[in-house]
């Protein structure tokens, strides 16, 4: 088993998997070092006038990992847990994710250290606009295109798009994705990550000969990804028996009434107190008997400490980096079929790509077209990863990394190193 040192470092987790995949590919050492390292790391200190008139300074990051295959693409998150290590790891994962689904982007990620639950809408807007102004020279439709992530949403993207546009003296809708539809957003974007998770789960079910109706699912996280995945899977016939958010969760082996839970969350902003099942802890829910476990909350929730307690047969990683490398080893030994994050949750960036294309064309597609094209890409990527894994005798995560690294390395070799 691999070292548990630095188990919770998102960058180290990415790098551990990267090293295994690059070695198996026989990547040249110089190129391997280059691809392991981000192109650019931007640190900003954002002065913001708070509602009470005081001035506070917030720290923010934007890490751009690679532009080998196209402009950078990646989310922006607001959380007290944001760190440069985390953003660096997630930026690299974005490069691999875009390459797995074969869309023409490299990877980036951004974050601001703040607690959005303690900030007013006006304070959030000022933080977002000043952050955008600080990184303005490095973003844009042909450079780096931000999108929502933890604790950011369509409104955040609208503020970024407006700030960028004011500086450019023209409206540039393609500067961000995950925008409101009326500002150049795409139909289907809101559901895309959850829908992508379901499409990959459907593909795994076909392999196992399982039926949706008898497949029990537990979802951790009930934000953008988790709530949409739970809703779509419930509507398609899966039996959702457990759901949790940061306040705790609900568990019911007869199945949870997801539309009622969505209504409850909308009204109360939390799952706490929902009476459609037994209440259960947000971590404890990961260890319950089920067929599919879908972590869609945050990173490093499945570690060497609890991986042996996971009872699911199929792990669909809606969140980024929910499993640590030592936990990977344990799950692999126990025969859990893992659909890794860079494949399972790639539906979001895929429809972000569609949004960017639509903005550039100024021509918008019907939702059915978006969903059909998403399905096509996800099914193709799932098949590609699983076949690659079988051919090279590696697990799905390493297969996804190998496939992605190979694609990026090929582009770099074709382009050559400029100097
Ligand atoms: P979000 O902020 O909308 O929702 C996060 C959810 O997780 C909330 O319900 C929150 O209560 C819950 N949560 C947070 N910490 C938790 C914990 N320790 N235990 C249990 N629940 C917890 O965020 P999101 O956009 O849904 O993103 C969730 C994950 O999916 C992140 O890892 C993100 O990077 C990843 N992701 C998001 C997208 C996207 O399109 N939004 C795309 C790809 C990957």
């Amino acid at each position: 088993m691999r070292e548990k040192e630095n188990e919770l470092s998102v960058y180290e987790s990415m790098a551990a998997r990267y090293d295994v995949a690059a070695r198996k590919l026989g990547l040249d050492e110089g190129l391997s070092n280059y691809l392991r390292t981000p192109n650019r790391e931007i640190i900003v200190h954002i002065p913001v006038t708070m509602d009470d008139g005081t001035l506070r300074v917030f720290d923010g990051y934007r890490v751009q990992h690679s532009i080998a295959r196209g402009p950078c693409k990646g989310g922006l998150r607001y959380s007290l847990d944001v760190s440069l290590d985390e953003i660096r790891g997630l930026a690299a994962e974005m490069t691999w994710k875009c390459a797995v689904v074969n869309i023409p982007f490299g990877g980036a990620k951004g974050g601001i250290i703040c607690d959005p639950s303690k900030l007013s809408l006006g304070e959030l807007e000022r933080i977002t606009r000043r952050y955008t102004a600080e990184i303005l020279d490095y973003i844009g439709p042909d450079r780096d295109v931000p999108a929502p992530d933890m604790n950011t949403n369509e409104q955040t993207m609208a503020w970024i798009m407006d700030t960028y546009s004011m500086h450019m003296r023209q409206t540039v809708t393609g500067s961000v994705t995950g925008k409101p539809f009326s500002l150049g957003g795409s139909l289907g974007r809101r559901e895309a990550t959850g829908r992508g998770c379901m499409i990959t789960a459907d593909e795994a079910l076909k392999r196992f000969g399982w039926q949706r109706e008898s497949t029990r699912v537990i979802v951790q996280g009930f934000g953008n990804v988790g709530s949409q995945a739970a809703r779509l899977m419930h509507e398609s016939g899966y039996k959702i028996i457990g759901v949790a958010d940061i306040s705790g969760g609900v568990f019911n082996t007869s199945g949870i009434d997801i539309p009622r839970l969505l209504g409850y969350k909308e009204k109360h902003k939390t799952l706490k107190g929902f009476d459609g099942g037994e209440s259960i802890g947000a971590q404890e829910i990961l260890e319950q008997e089920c067929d599919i476990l879908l972590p869609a909350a945050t990173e490093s929730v499945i570690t060497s400490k609890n991986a042996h307690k996971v009872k699911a047969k199929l792990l669909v990683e809606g969140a980024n980096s929910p499993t640590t490398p030592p936990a990977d080893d344990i799950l692999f030994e126990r025969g859990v079929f893992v659909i890794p994050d860079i494949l399972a949750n790639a539906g979001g960036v895929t429809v972000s790509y569609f949004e960017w294309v639509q903005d550039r064309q100024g021509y918008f597609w019907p939702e059915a077209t978006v969903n059909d094209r998403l399905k096509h890409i996800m099914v193709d990527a799932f098949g590609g990863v699983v076949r690659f894994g079988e051919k090279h005798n590696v697990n799905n995560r390493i297969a996804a990394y190998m496939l992605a690294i190979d694609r990026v390395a090929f582009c770099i070799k074709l382009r050559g190193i400029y100097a």
Side-chain angles (χ1 to χ4, degrees):
M1 195 184 300
R2 278 189 287 253
E3 273 295 315
K4 295 192 187 68
E5 207 184 314
N6 284 334
E7 181 176 353
L8 301 184
S9 156
V10 176
Y11 178 74
E12 293 300 330
S13 291
M14 185 291 299
R17 281 132 182 180
Y18 173 85
D19 289 343
V20 174
R23 219 172 20 248
K24 286 203 180 282
L25 281 170
L27 209 64
D28 162 87
E29 195 186 332
L31 184 55
S32 178
N33 285 338
Y34 172 37
L35 278 180
R36 203 178 189 275
T37 319
N39 279 169
R40 183 181 279 141
E41 300 183 346
I42 307 162
I43 302 177
V44 293
H45 305 287
I46 314 157
V48 176
T49 305
M50 308 302 284
D51 290 349
D52 64 5
T54 58
L55 184 65
R56 274 183 62 189
V57 179
F58 293 87
D59 297 332
Y61 308 103
R62 186 78 187 167
V63 175
Q64 298 175 334
H65 176 260
S66 170
I67 54 164
R69 288 166 45 91
C72 288
K73 187 86 195 74
L76 168 66
R77 57 171 58 183
Y78 291 174
S79 163
L80 286 176
D81 295 332
V82 162
S83 67
L84 185 54
D85 170 276
E86 175 196 59
I87 300 299
R88 186 186 282 144
L90 293 171
E93 283 214 334
M94 282 306 295
T95 302
W96 314 135
K97 191 183 299 183
C98 293
V100 164
V101 285
N102 219 350
I103 58 175
F105 288 126
K109 199 82 182 185
I112 301 177
I113 304 174
C114 65
D115 180 356
S117 68
K118 301 222 160 59
L119 297 165
S120 70
L121 203 62
E123 288 166 343
L124 279 170
E125 177 173 353
R126 293 194 288 281
I127 291 175
T128 304
R129 287 186 182 278
R130 183 63 187 247
Y131 170 80
T132 307
E134 294 292 340
I135 63 169
L136 200 92
D137 289 339
Y138 301 99
I139 58 172
D142 294 309
R143 292 184 176 162
D144 179 1
V145 188
D149 195 75
M150 276 169 71
N151 296 322
T152 58
N153 53 30
E154 293 180 359
Q155 178 61 74
T156 323
M157 296 305 116
W159 291 328
I160 296 178
M161 193 276 275
D162 182 68
T163 308
Y164 184 84
S165 298
M166 288 301 104
H167 283 263
M168 296 300 133
R169 321 305 285 169
Q170 62 185 45
T171 296
V172 189
T173 53
S175 53
V176 289
T177 59
K179 300 179 290 295
F181 180 65
S182 47
L183 292 179
S186 176
L187 292 172
R189 173 62 185 88
R190 198 173 292 162
E191 302 81 9
T193 310
R195 185 180 295 282
C197 290
M198 181 175 75
I199 295 169
T200 59
D202 285 347
E203 290 306 291
L205 256 62
K206 283 186 208 154
R207 287 180 66 84
F208 302 153
W210 293 357
Q211 300 306 312
R212 284 168 169 173
E213 288 67 23
S214 49
T215 302
R216 299 158 305 160
V217 184
I218 289 179
V219 182
Q220 188 204 42
F222 206 59
N224 178 289
V225 182
S227 68
Q228 296 298 339
R231 182 178 69 77
L232 292 165
M233 290 177 91
H234 173 81
E235 284 169 5
S236 315
Y238 284 90
K239 194 170 175 186
I240 315 292
I241 60 163
V243 175
D245 71 4
I246 199 153
S247 67
V250 52
F251 187 70
N252 185 342
T253 51
S254 313
I256 296 168
D257 182 345
I258 297 297
R260 197 159 79 80
L261 184 63
L262 283 161
Y264 185 90
K265 170 79 195 272
E266 174 82 23
K267 189 167 170 205
H268 300 276
K269 309 285 170 228
T270 170
L271 302 185
K272 210 178 179 141
F274 181 68
D275 64 4
E278 302 162 34
S279 62
I280 190 164
Q283 270 297 112
E284 207 187 331
I285 205 162
L286 301 172
E287 300 164 13
Q288 304 308 307
E289 191 73 51
C290 65
D291 300 300
I292 299 183
L293 179 61
L294 202 160
T298 187
E299 52 258 19
S300 306
V301 293
I302 303 173
T303 66
S304 55
K305 294 205 171 61
N306 64 352
H308 57 283
K309 295 187 193 155
V310 168
K311 299 194 181 63
K313 300 165 196 80
L314 174 57
L315 182 69
V316 181
E317 294 186 332
N320 283 313
S321 212
T323 312
T324 65
D328 273 350
D329 293 343
I330 297 170
L331 296 177
F332 184 65
E333 274 164 24
R334 298 185 52 231
V336 179
F337 189 91
V338 176
I339 308 181
D341 48 5
I342 58 173
L343 170 62
N345 73 32
V349 76
T350 301
V351 177
S352 273
Y353 163 56
F354 297 161
E355 180 174 333
W356 178 80
V357 169
Q358 292 170 80
D359 287 337
R360 294 165 79 94
Q361 289 179 325
Y363 178 69
F364 291 85
W365 312 345
E367 190 165 355
T369 306
V370 172
N371 292 343
D372 275 1
R373 289 179 179 173
L374 171 64
K375 186 168 178 188
H376 180 79
I377 287 184
M378 296 300 296
V379 168
D380 217 45
F382 179 92
V385 167
V386 172
R387 277 194 303 277
F388 200 92
E390 286 168 352
K391 185 169 166 204
H392 296 273
N393 198 23
V394 292
N395 65 42
N396 291 338
R397 189 185 313 280
I398 297 302
Y401 265 74
M402 287 173 73
L403 194 66
I405 294 167
D406 198 37
R407 285 181 178 155
V408 179
F410 184 70
C411 289
I412 291 175
K413 284 182 199 155
L414 282 176
R415 289 176 66 152
I417 303 292
Y418 174 76

